[in-house]
Amino acid sequence: MNGLGSGSIVPGNTYYIRLYSSLLAPESCSDFSLCVTPLIANDEPCGAVNLPVGPGSGQCQGTVRGTTYGASATRATTGGQLVPIGNCANEGILRDVWYRVVPPGPAFTLHCDDLILDLARLYVPTTAAGCAGELRLVNCQTSTIYGGSGLRPLGTVLFDSLISGQTYYLAVSSRFGSYASLTPEFTLCAEQAQALPGRSAAVGARAALWP
């Protein structure tokens, strides 16, 4: 287990952490190490890290290193009930971190070869409040293959039908559950690209708002 996170901690309160083994026959004596750290800065949209969009030379200039270690589990609240975040991978619980992208043209590609990431969602602000207000999902990309087996990195995915110069917020999510032992570090690269002709906005994405 690489780490767990929570965004609902109240400063000054005392909390208790329970550690246990899920093995049917755990060893009677096992050593482990434990540390507690603050959530990472880009756990929420307003802490988004700038992700530059390169010129599209194919050289992946301006790469950005990141991690999902310390990211909190993300769910939306509707009518007082926790509900899954709308996404194209049909994931119920997401551990995502956020990046700010200002594309100089109508499209860009996002590239990541690290297995920890399998989902990327692109949002646009709907109000003058920007990241602090409502965000609308405009595109969603995933490496998840239904009915398939094995791990696949996100690879190179296309975000198009965008507005040049508009600020977008990109959420990238780590694999959950049985893949929690994967290394949480990753590298992102964004480059200018050509939009696909005839492809409308939000292809493959469910209509969804954040939060």
Side-chain angles (χ1 to χ4, degrees):
M1 182 176 66
N2 276 317
L4 298 174
S6 174
S8 58
I9 296 296
V10 178
N13 278 9
T14 298
Y15 294 87
Y16 297 91
I17 300 174
R18 179 191 176 204
L19 302 176
Y20 62 93
S21 174
S22 59
L23 299 175
L24 295 178
E27 297 180 10
S28 57
C29 295
S30 298
D31 295 329
F32 62 88
S33 60
L34 177 70
C35 69
V36 178
T37 60
L39 291 177
I40 52 181
N42 58 335
D43 189 54
E44 298 293 341
C46 283
V49 173
N50 185 55
L51 178 64
V53 179
S57 62
Q59 301 300 314
C60 254
Q61 302 175 20
T63 58
V64 172
R65 293 281 297 166
T67 181
T68 58
Y69 184 81
S72 60
T74 300
R75 284 186 176 179
T77 303
T78 300
Q81 300 294 319
L82 289 175
V83 297
I85 299 294
N87 66 87
C88 52
N90 201 32
E91 294 281 357
I93 301 176
L94 304 176
R95 293 191 184 276
D96 46 31
V97 288
W98 291 81
Y99 293 86
R100 183 175 55 254
V101 185
V102 183
F108 72 91
T109 57
L110 178 71
H111 183 77
C112 181
D113 280 332
D114 300 286
L115 288 175
I116 189 66
L117 297 185
D118 68 341
L119 178 66
R121 312 184 321 275
L122 192 69
Y123 292 84
V124 64
T126 62
T127 70
C131 64
E134 183 180 82
L135 304 178
R136 179 172 58 87
L137 181 66
V138 297
N139 207 308
C140 181
Q141 301 289 340
T142 181
S143 61
T144 299
I145 298 179
Y146 297 104
S149 61
L151 297 178
R152 298 173 184 267
L154 187 62
T156 299
V157 294
L158 174 69
F159 294 99
D160 62 355
S161 299
L162 307 178
I163 299 173
S164 176
Q166 169 71 53
T167 297
Y168 292 88
Y169 291 89
L170 175 72
V172 294
S173 305
S174 66
R175 299 177 186 274
F176 194 74
S178 60
Y179 302 123
S181 61
L182 290 172
T183 301
E185 286 76 24
F186 57 84
T187 299
L188 296 178
C189 169
E191 292 192 292
Q192 295 183 51
Q194 296 294 320
L196 293 178
R199 189 166 109 145
S200 61
V203 168
R206 301 175 182 177
L209 297 175
W210 175 278

